Amino acid sequence: MQQKGDIAVVGLAVMGQNLILNMNDHGFTVVAYNRTTSKVDEFLNGNAKGTNIIGAYSIKDMLSKLKKPRKVMLMVKAGEVVDQFIDSLIPQLDQGDVIIDGGNSNFADTERRVKTLKKKGIYFIGTGVSGGEEGARFGPSMMPGGMMEAWPTIKPIFKAIAAKTPNGEACCEWVGSGGAGHFVKMVHNGIEYGDMQLICEAYQFMKDLLELDNEHLSAIFTNWNQTELNSYLIEITANILKFQDKEGYVIDRILDTAGQKGTGKWTGINALDLGIPLTLIAESVFARCISAQKNTRLQAERFYGKKAYPHTPISSALLHDLQQSLLFAKIISYAQGYMLMQEASQTYNWILNYGDIALMWREGCIIRSIFLEKIKAAFDRSPQLQNLLFDDYFKSLVQKALPSVRRIVAKGIETGIAMPALTSALSFFDGFTTARLPANLLQAQRDYFGAHTYERLDKAYGQFFHTDWIGSNSNVSSSGYNV
Ligand code: NBP
């Protein structure tokens, strides 16, 4: 008799196939199912040939081939498809069976699914899986959340297949209840947008202002990969820049309009909902939006007669400033991302472990970097750390980088190189470190035109005052509200 499967994976596109092969490599018996069943045979006769992977041709067939409690992992297109598949699974599942959604689902959908399935006695886990095709095959970063009761049954599989840090720790930990896993994955993707945008801004600065060729640019990124910036994204940037095919450098033929699948946008929307100044990620999303308006940009450049960038001679001091600027902005971006997670943890009643999150991102995912070890160390030193910028190690990096950042941002502004992410990092920092901002005037304006009231510096906070700015003798004020 055929051995029963430890887990089923539904969805035999790039992520599903590679996760199954990864699970098989680690000694788990996997049942593979796909809506279009011809793909099951293609997989079994192709990449899965010679493995212990079991094919299934219907939901019933798949469930009959699993050990109990049955564990079914969905690697299908996020959105309605997940709901549809869960609906067709429910009547055939028993209490205690586990559904795992490993797609890029919106965390609010995961919260809803957890609640619905809890009522039916079925466990639900929403897990972020990062690292793309290669990660799925050889070790992704995994961010599971949902019903913790189900964690012990899937933990051995997840820990085994996840990426490992140089110390051998698995980049997979329990994140929290409800949609916490998918939330953390969403923030990961937002941070990815920021990291990528910053690299692109440094690239444009060097390409257009310093007029460096691709080989030189690649060498600089390779060099930066030996510094605190060491990361997957810097590494692939160096490779991309020097890559040539028969027609020459590929990078020079790629249209400068960026696509997006929405997780950066979700992160920005959530930050606005929670009132967190996630400026760098938001600017990175908008930078993709402006890049997508190629025709309008062509027209605008002609309309305003944009002048050529003034040539700036390369110097080691300038390159050092640029490297320091990238590091500074990266610290700000991660600090903002952690601010968002800290607020979300309170708002949605999760208990997020911030050090573990850094560990999960250390390897296997797109933002993997040495830098994340430092974040983990900061939260290990101080689990209640209020903000990454209050950690002494990061403070020393920021203070060292600050003069460089000011020089680079000034240069960009002076010469007309758009650097929205870097500039926003500096603006955020300057606001964050200013005890007294001009919001007193803003409050006065709000009170003037809308009787929105204000608090006073010389009275206890929480008391609200209204001034009759135009002598109307009205003492009616607007009800207080926070946005
Ligand atoms: P896709 O996101 O392209 O989804 C394709 C899979 O969804 C196929 O197996 C397809 O079955 C299945 N599917 C669809 Br479409 N509609 C279905 C339905 N109504 N019922 C059942 N199955 C249905 O695959 P992917 O790129 O492997 O990604 C899988 C998940 O992982 C997604 O949520 C994605 O966002 C996430 N993710 C992807 C990456 C990446 O690098 N690609 C990285 C991290 C996370 P069919 O063959 O019958 O059409």
Side-chain angles (χ1 to χ4, degrees), residues 1 56 65 89 98 135 140 156 161 174 226 235 311 318 326 333 361-363 377 404 424 448 472-473:
M1 207 180 88
K65 289 174 172 167
L89 265 176
V98 187
I161 65 166
W174 183 250
Q226 314 305 314
E235 180 191 327
H311 173 71
L318 198 57
L326 272 188
S333 181
W361 295 345
R362 170 67 184 87
E363 290 292 338
S404 296
S424 78
Y448 190 109
S472 66
N473 289 326

Side-chain angles (χ1 to χ4, degrees), residues 145-204:
M147 293 190 216
M148 199 179 181
E149 301 91 316
W151 177 227
T153 62
I154 61 160
K155 187 175 170 180
I157 303 177
F158 274 30
K159 287 266 188 186
I161 65 166
K164 306 290 177 305
T165 68
N167 297 334
E169 296 159 297
C171 295
C172 172
E173 261 312 329
W174 183 250
V175 177
S177 59
H182 275 133
F183 185 89
V184 168
K185 171 64 167 47
M186 177 190 80
V187 176
H188 161 283
N189 283 27
I191 288 177
E192 180 184 309
Y193 273 57
D195 280 359
M196 292 168 77
Q197 175 63 24
L198 287 169
I199 291 172
C200 290
E201 290 176 14
Y203 160 68
Q204 195 193 7

Side-chain angles (χ1 to χ4, degrees), residues 42-226:
E42 279 169 34
F43 180 50
L44 293 180
N45 296 323
N47 290 339
K49 205 176 174 79
T51 67
N52 292 327
I53 295 162
I54 303 167
Y57 299 89
S58 67
I59 294 178
K60 193 170 171 217
D61 183 30
M62 170 182 79
L63 294 176
S64 73
K65 289 174 172 167
L66 283 173
K67 289 178 198 160
K68 290 193 173 182
R70 293 166 298 186
K71 298 174 271 297
V72 178
M73 182 163 185
L74 309 182
M75 288 309 297
V76 296
K77 200 172 159 202
E80 261 179 48
V81 171
V82 175
D83 285 318
Q84 285 165 13
F85 202 83
I86 290 173
D87 286 346
S88 45
L89 265 176
I90 289 174
Q92 306 187 53
L93 291 180
D94 295 329
Q95 296 224 336
D97 286 341
V98 187
I99 302 176
I100 305 151
D101 172 20
N104 264 342
S105 292
N106 188 308
F107 83 96
D109 286 339
T110 305
E111 290 269 325
R112 171 177 54 78
R113 288 167 188 148
V114 165
K115 285 191 185 125
T116 312
L117 287 162
K118 200 170 209 158
K119 288 187 199 139
K120 299 182 189 299
I122 292 164
Y123 292 130
F124 187 73
I125 293 206
T127 184
V129 178
S130 180
E133 181 177 358
E134 194 198 338
R137 180 67 186 89
F138 299 109
S141 155
M142 302 187 79
M143 297 151 251
M147 293 190 216
M148 199 179 181
E149 301 91 316
W151 177 227
T153 62
I154 61 160
K155 187 175 170 180
I157 303 177
F158 274 30
K159 287 266 188 186
I161 65 166
K164 306 290 177 305
T165 68
N167 297 334
E169 296 159 297
C171 295
C172 172
E173 261 312 329
W174 183 250
V175 177
S177 59
H182 275 133
F183 185 89
V184 168
K185 171 64 167 47
M186 177 190 80
V187 176
H188 161 283
N189 283 27
I191 288 177
E192 180 184 309
Y193 273 57
D195 280 359
M196 292 168 77
Q197 175 63 24
L198 287 169
I199 291 172
C200 290
E201 290 176 14
Y203 160 68
Q204 195 193 7
F205 189 100
M206 294 189 284
K207 181 178 184 304
D208 289 344
L209 220 54
L210 311 187
E211 297 178 59
L212 304 186
D213 63 27
N214 289 325
E215 292 295 331
H216 200 161
L217 289 166
S218 171
I220 290 167
F221 280 102
T222 301
N223 186 266
W224 287 353
N225 208 30
Q226 314 305 314

